Amino acid sequence: MNTLSEKLQAGLSHHQAGRLHEAESAYREVLQRAPDHADAWHLLGAVACQAGRVEESVEYLHRAIALSPDVGIFHNSLGNALQLLGRIDAAIDCYRRAVACQADLAEAHKNLGQTLSIARRFGEAAESFQQALKLRPDDPEVQRSLLNVALNEVVRTQRPPELPSVADSHAEGDVAGPPQTPDHAAAEPAARYDLVILVPYRDRLDHLRQFSSHMDRFFRGKLSFRIVVVEQAPGTPFNRGKLLNVGFRLHRDEAPVFALHDVDTLPQDESCDYRIADRPIHLAGRASKYGGQLPYPAFLGAVFVLRREHFEAANGFSNLYWGWGREDDEFARRLWASGITWENRPGRYQSLEHPPGDLSSRNDARLLEFLRGERDWRRDGLCSLDFEIIRSITLQEFLDAPMVAAHHQLITVDLGHPG
Ligand code: UDP
Ligand code: MN
């Protein structure tokens, strides 16, 4: 007959190989012979949780803890189960007990950080991720989480924190800087409009028609503005950030303020106020698509209004985000790294319907590169922009819509190729 520890070990091997049923039988056998075996209760709890029997697992984990109250990993597992049940505060307490029992339990620090950020306690979450990072300096998930919560904290408090791990370690003077941004203050050309609206665009004709006439109506008598649609030529994955860089580069002197505007997002009322003072504003906080709430606190997609200086301080967008999404998340961090925070002014917008973006081409890896400091944002953006103009026509002409004001423009550009 196997010893208890052999039986437990056999269960663990099944468990690690994903044979949950066999693992559970082995743990139960151990418990039949030794009902006070804390490790076996813990493992039975873990396996039940993994099998989706979360309520039941909580009971087993409590048994383990009652028998051995000072084992960090037991509290950590209970935290995981409670988190799954949506009992966030209770889970936080468990993770705190886990690290109190065992200060070097990186997993528990990380879980604590993640649960605190779910509870939107970003300051405390950042502390937990810092602890986790001390124990696991190379864990990319912890690095990314730390930056995320720190950024959310920035958005909440409007104070950029000092974070050593941002791509900021390059020596001063080593950086060329955007060549097109010398000190313009002396000879700034007079702007022609209050606002230039830059619209990254390809192949959404129906939206563009609605957008153009809607904007003319919406802004009538309010402020002077010009729509600049920057259309990407076919043949390469869509690159929203680079298109915005192109629009900005070509129209930089026409207005002091720019709106980076998705074509499918239409302002509804006075809550969509495009006038800004010193800080940029994110405006689309109450777009119908997001159910009246930001998808996440640091989100600045869909409609973002900023001054020329802000765009230039961030060196514009990265040119490297081919495919769907994440360019705006890097842009948020570029602003932040330049000491610029923004205001959320939740405007009511109608979101026009379209099929969802291709998640398989989501640019997560690009963003991660940036978060790890593997790419210097000051060398990629406005300062390294290259493109070719294929055509430039009025929007009126492009849409064959005499109702659309004659000064709006559409430029079609070849952005080159990825890689
Ligand atoms: N866009 C476009 N054609 C495309 C993809 C994107 O014109 O094939 C532009 C358009 O302005 C759109 C914006 O980029 O509103 C953001 O893309 P999308 O609406 O697909 O992003 P999501 O709504 O999924 O965040
Ligand atoms: Mn959209």
Side-chain angles (χ1 to χ4, degrees):
M1 181 172 159
N2 291 332
T3 65
L4 280 184
S5 72
E6 279 167 355
K7 194 78 219 168
L8 196 71
Q9 194 52 52
L12 210 52
S13 302
H14 286 306
H15 199 159
Q16 279 157 355
R19 295 184 296 268
L20 301 186
H21 191 73
E22 288 83 346
E24 179 162 350
S25 305
Y27 299 149
R28 286 193 185 280
E29 235 184 284
V30 172
L31 286 167
Q32 258 174 10
R33 285 152 58 186
D36 287 346
H37 200 304
D39 284 330
W41 281 114
H42 170 239
L43 290 166
L44 181 63
V47 90
C49 187
Q50 264 172 280
R53 290 155 24 227
V54 187
E55 295 275 6
E56 189 184 319
S57 80
V58 169
E59 202 180 306
Y60 301 148
L61 293 167
H62 275 302
R63 296 284 283 266
I65 290 171
L67 290 161
S68 298
D70 298 328
V71 184
I73 192 77
F74 292 1
H75 294 281
N76 181 69
S77 297
L78 181 57
N80 291 346
L82 293 170
Q83 220 245 66
L84 283 173
L85 293 171
R87 293 168 57 188
I88 299 301
D89 290 338
I92 289 172
D93 289 343
C94 285
Y95 294 130
R96 286 217 189 280
R97 274 197 287 277
V99 296
C101 294
Q102 194 183 335
D104 64 353
L105 198 58
E107 199 59 32
H109 287 289
K110 181 162 136 181
N111 290 332
L112 178 56
Q114 255 135 20
T115 314
L116 286 164
S117 30
I118 292 172
R120 304 202 153 216
R121 289 155 63 178
F122 300 119
E124 291 165 84
E127 281 170 35
S128 294
F129 287 128
Q130 301 268 23
Q131 293 299 326
L133 206 60
K134 275 189 203 154
L135 298 161
R136 284 197 204 156
D138 298 323
D139 186 330
E141 202 194 342
V142 178
Q143 292 172 349
R144 193 171 29 165
S145 302
L146 178 57
L147 277 139
N148 275 330
V149 293
L151 186 64
N152 286 330
E153 185 66 358
V154 172
V155 173
R156 203 176 61 77
T157 61
Q158 301 303 343
R159 261 181 307 142
E162 308 229 337
L163 269 189
S165 45
V166 198
D168 215 9
S169 51
H170 305 267
E172 291 290 331
D174 172 24
V175 175
Q180 76 285 12
T181 54
D183 186 5
H184 291 282
E188 202 59 76
R192 277 193 285 155
Y193 304 96
D194 296 327
L195 176 71
V196 163
I197 300 180
L198 298 175
V199 184
Y201 174 80
R202 181 164 72 187
D203 201 16
R204 299 224 178 151
L205 192 54
D206 184 43
H207 287 180
L208 186 57
R209 282 187 195 289
Q210 292 185 59
F211 180 83
S212 310
S213 52
H214 182 89
M215 292 311 245
D216 275 334
R217 270 196 314 273
F218 181 77
F219 281 116
R220 188 165 300 141
K222 287 186 189 141
L223 48 77
S224 69
F225 77 107
R226 180 185 209 189
I227 298 174
V228 173
V229 178
V230 194
E231 181 189 39
Q232 183 173 341
T236 46
F238 195 67
N239 188 331
R240 181 174 176 271
K242 194 166 182 185
L243 289 170
L244 289 167
N245 284 346
V246 171
F248 180 82
R249 165 65 60 74
L250 295 174
H251 296 270
R252 147 182 212 287
D253 295 329
E254 292 177 7
V257 177
F258 292 77
L260 317 179
H261 217 301
D262 283 2
V263 72
D264 58 8
T265 310
L266 308 184
Q268 297 301 294
D269 58 30
E270 299 304 314
S271 66
C272 309
D273 181 354
Y274 288 71
R275 290 166 306 177
I276 73 173
D278 295 334
R279 287 199 300 160
I281 46 174
H282 181 249
L283 261 183
R286 272 187 291 158
S288 52
K289 172 174 176 172
Y290 311 121
Q293 195 188 329
L294 287 180
Y296 43 92
F299 177 75
L300 53 66
V303 185
F304 193 73
V305 187
L306 76 182
R307 295 192 164 275
R308 183 192 289 151
E309 307 80 74
H310 300 140
F311 200 90
E312 288 180 342
N315 191 18
F317 281 75
S318 167
N319 296 309
L320 304 175
Y321 285 67
W322 303 90
W324 187 80
R326 293 298 191 199
E327 77 292 335
D328 47 352
D329 291 323
E330 177 166 328
F331 189 66
R333 288 158 175 86
R334 287 170 170 243
L335 288 172
W336 165 38
S338 317
I340 298 168
T341 58
W342 61 96
E343 177 192 334
N344 283 310
R345 186 184 292 170
R348 227 183 311 278
Y349 282 82
Q350 180 196 354
S351 310
L352 303 175
E353 299 282 328
H354 61 79
D358 177 11
L359 287 181
S360 68
S361 72
R362 218 163 84 142
N363 284 301
D364 286 3
R366 274 275 176 250
L367 183 63
L368 206 54
E369 236 171 50
F370 171 86
L371 296 179
R372 291 199 193 110
E374 291 166 4
R375 172 158 56 75
D376 187 350
W377 61 274
R378 287 167 295 191
R379 292 175 187 278
D380 155 41
L382 282 177
C383 72
S384 61
L385 182 62
D386 61 318
F387 62 93
E388 271 175 46
I389 300 178
I390 294 175
R391 70 168 164 187
S392 176
I393 60 172
T394 68
L395 197 49
Q396 194 179 65
E397 201 183 335
F398 178 76
L399 295 173
D400 189 20
M403 296 296 287
V404 168
H407 61 282
H408 301 319
Q409 197 71 14
L410 179 138
I411 341 158
T412 306
V413 287
D414 179 348
L415 295 182
H417 284 267

